[in-house]
């Protein structure tokens, strides 16, 4: 079973890698990350913050585009090319087919995120070199440089601040959380594509759910705290939102990491667990729907 | 022709999965939210006021989870407003950025600095727009207090940041000439995690300053600092034990402290 899933996954990955749209998107991501270092009108510590924000933003934005677009075209393309009939005529279960496709997309996302993260790390390293050179140039021209131990102490403090900001080990947490969010978006797209009949419908619906997901926590708060005051229709709407749409806003904890605040690993694991279980549920639902879809 | 049977068992199974998952999901999300609240990650609620201040594109950016990038773009507008001498717009934009990212020390610190230093000094020297010197001094003071307000709100949102306390201390010391408050701010800053060691000495230096000239208070603070240092710290160069000792000795002589009450009687 695992062998069949892996074969389908490998094939899905190869097909996706050959697609121009996804490659162009990835290129856009790399350009966005590289361009983030051109904020010369702000101070060096702000430049590092901006690079981190734009780098992670680009990984998130391009990643979600790749996730949704690659999943949305999976089933329609298979149906259009009629390859699905050939595959399902073989001893391959529908669940294996769907899971194989999903694993392929996850591999594609892993590859994309890894490539963008390497570019991001390179830009950060360059920014650190620039920052350290700027700090040194500032201190060298200060009267008393080289003689005053107090000045040396302050210089070391400034250097440590830049180095700590750039080589923040918490960036690993940030990238992992972004990746988990992308996998969830891909699973949502997979669920929609199992009952959708067109590529556009899947893309638009998934984007809608993704955006609403960022407001789910607000809807939940209103439903739980003011639910009694709402009309039946409003209450039902808020309840449906709270119970069905994933909470994407929790993942904005990445912003805290980028601001230099400490996010403990146990909280990150909790979020990763939430994402994994939610993805599992979405895949189970996708499989149930796909099983009775007429092909 | 055979009739197509509706797959009721499968639909029932889907409904069951949804019904089982929904309460677990709700409880899990409430737990996550509570954890984030305890960790002081308030997040940003897109209120009507915030919506009115942001353009449509930026609002969508915030709603799509790109709050940091939106804040960065707004921050670039602060620089543009500075170049156009639009002080009140700068103030409003700094408020907006800090509302979007209340946990970013950088924005609070630089926002306060922009208003309390850059704008205030510019306004004080701007004879072209305001020939009346008293009026200029009044305006400069106004912007210092606007900057101070930014620091204070920043500290409310980030109580464990030494940087904002240090910046507020510098403001009291250099712009307002209030050395007592400066000493208090530096003292608070030095006790917070990540604070540079040199901040430990600042409260005592403030009190011994020629303008504050409270030598007894300075002496108390130097003594307090000396006794707070562990034996190992007293040997570290970073803690400037020589400076602490020389200041204590000097003040003991100046204040004519009886030999038996001195820290260093010899």
């Amino acid at each position: 079973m695992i062998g069949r899933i892996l074969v389908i996954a490998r094939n899905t990955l190869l097909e996706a890698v050959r697609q121009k749209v996804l490659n162009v998107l990835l290129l856009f991501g790399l350009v966005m990350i590289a361009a983030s270092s051109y904020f010369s009108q702000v101070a060096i510590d702000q430049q590092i913050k901006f690079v981190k924000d734009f780098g992670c933003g680009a990984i998130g934005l391009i990643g979600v585009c790749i996730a949704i677009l690659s999943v949305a075209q999976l089933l329609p393309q298979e149906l259009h090319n009629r390859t699905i009939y050939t595959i399902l005529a073989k001893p391959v279960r529908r669940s294996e087919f769907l899971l194989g496709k999903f694993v392929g997309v996850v591999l594609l996302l892993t590859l994309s995120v890894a490539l963008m993260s390497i570019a991001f790390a390179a830009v950060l390293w360059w920014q650190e070199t620039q920052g350290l050179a700027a700090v040194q140039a500032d201190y060298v021209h200060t009267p008393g440089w080289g003689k005053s131990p107090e000045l040396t102490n302050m210089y070391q403090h400034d250097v440590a601040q830049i180095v700590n900001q750039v080589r923040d080990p918490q960036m690993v947490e940030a990238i992992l959380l972004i990746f988990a969010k992308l996998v969830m978006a891909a699973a949502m797209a997979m669920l929609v594509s199992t009952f959708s009949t067109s590529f556009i419908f899947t893309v638009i619906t998934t984007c809608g759910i993704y955006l609403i997901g960022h407001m789910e926590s607000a809807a939940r708060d209103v439903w739980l705290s003011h639910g009694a005051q709402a009309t039946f229709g409003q209450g039902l709407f808020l309840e449906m939102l709270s119970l069905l749409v994933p909470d994407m806003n929790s993942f904005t904890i990445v912003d805290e990491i980028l601001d230099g605040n400490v996010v403990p690993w146990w909280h990150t694991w909790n979020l990763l667990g939430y994402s994994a279980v939610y993805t599992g549920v979405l895949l189970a639902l996708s499989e149930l729907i796909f099983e009775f879809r007429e092909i | 022709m055979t009739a197509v049977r509706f797959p009721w068992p499968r639909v029932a199974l889907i409904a069951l999965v949804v019904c089982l998952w929904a309460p677990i999901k709700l409880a899990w999300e409430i737990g996550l939210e509570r954890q984030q609240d305890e960790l002081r990650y308030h997040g940003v609620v897109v209120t009507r006021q915030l919506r009115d201040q942001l353009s449509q594109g930026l609002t969508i950016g915030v709603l799509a989870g790109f709050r940091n990038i939106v804040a960065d773009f707004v921050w670039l507008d602060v620089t543009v407003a500075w170049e156009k001498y639009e002080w009140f717009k700068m103030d409003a934009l700094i408020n907006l950025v800090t509302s979007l990212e209340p946990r970013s020390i950088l924005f609070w610190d630089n926002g306060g600095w922009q208003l309390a230093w850059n704008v205030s000094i510019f306004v004080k020297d701007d004879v072209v727009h305001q020939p009346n010197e008293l009026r200029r001094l009044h305006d400069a003071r106004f912007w210092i207090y606007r900057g101070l307000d930014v620091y204070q709100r920043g500290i409310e949102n980030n109580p464990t940041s030494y940087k904002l306390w240090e910046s507020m201390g510098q403001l009291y010391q250099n712009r307002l000439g209030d050395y007592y408050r400066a000493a208090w701010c530096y003292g608070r800053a030095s006790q917070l995690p990540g604070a540079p060691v040199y901040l430990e000495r600042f409260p005592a230096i403030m009190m011994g300053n020629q303008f504050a000239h409270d030598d007894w208070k300075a002496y108390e603070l130097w003594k307090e600092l000396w006794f707070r240092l562990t034996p190992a710290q007293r040997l570290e160069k970073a803690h400037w034990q020589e400076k602490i000792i020389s200041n204590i000795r000097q003040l003991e002589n100046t204040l004519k402290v009886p030999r038996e009450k001195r820290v260093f009687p010899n």
Side-chain angles (χ1 to χ4, degrees), chain B residues 6 17 32 48 94 98 116 141-142 172 180 201:
Chain B
F6 191 77
V17 170
L32 279 169
R48 183 151 193 179
I94 288 167
T98 49
R141 198 101 179 146
F142 169 80
Y172 276 122
Y180 283 91
R201 290 176 287 122

Side-chain angles (χ1 to χ4, degrees), chain B residues 209-236:
Chain B
N209 181 290
Q210 55 169 326
F211 298 106
H213 208 67
D214 192 340
D215 285 349
W216 276 110
K217 182 71 184 164
Y219 178 56
E220 288 304 317
L221 287 167
W222 282 120
K223 271 201 319 186
E224 195 186 301
L225 175 57
W226 177 251
F227 289 125
R228 201 167 62 225
L229 294 180
T230 60
Q233 283 175 328
R234 284 177 189 172
L235 294 173
E236 280 174 27

